[in-house]
Amino acid sequence: MEIKRVACPKCNVILEVANNKNEPLKRFACPRCSTRLMVRFNPPLLDKVRVKCPDCGSVLRVHNRANKPYRQFGCPVCKTEIRVSFIAPVEQ
């Protein structure tokens, strides 16, 4: 869960906004002046993914040890360069 502190542009009250549902965008009203606000959050990252090599068809399990959104590496079987995304898909 990510928490951001934002200031209302109209009344300058400081608000703490929690991303409980892992939403990329949260909309809410300021509790003091009722101004409509939006806060963007970073997408959640996956710990590991399974990918299939496009050339040799090997199924690989890739771990996100560096906690980064992407990882690029060579397939251990055929040495083809593969780029893997650890960004979780957004549910709508």
Side-chain angles (χ1 to χ4, degrees), residues 25-52:
L25 182 69
K26 186 160 187 174
R27 298 170 196 254
F28 62 98
C30 175
R32 183 184 285 175
C33 68
S34 299
T35 300
R36 298 295 298 162
L37 303 170
M38 282 189 308
V39 177
R40 290 192 185 281
F41 289 95
N42 296 326
L45 298 179
L46 300 171
D47 293 332
K48 60 185 170 186
V49 294
R50 289 172 55 116
V51 295
K52 186 174 184 179

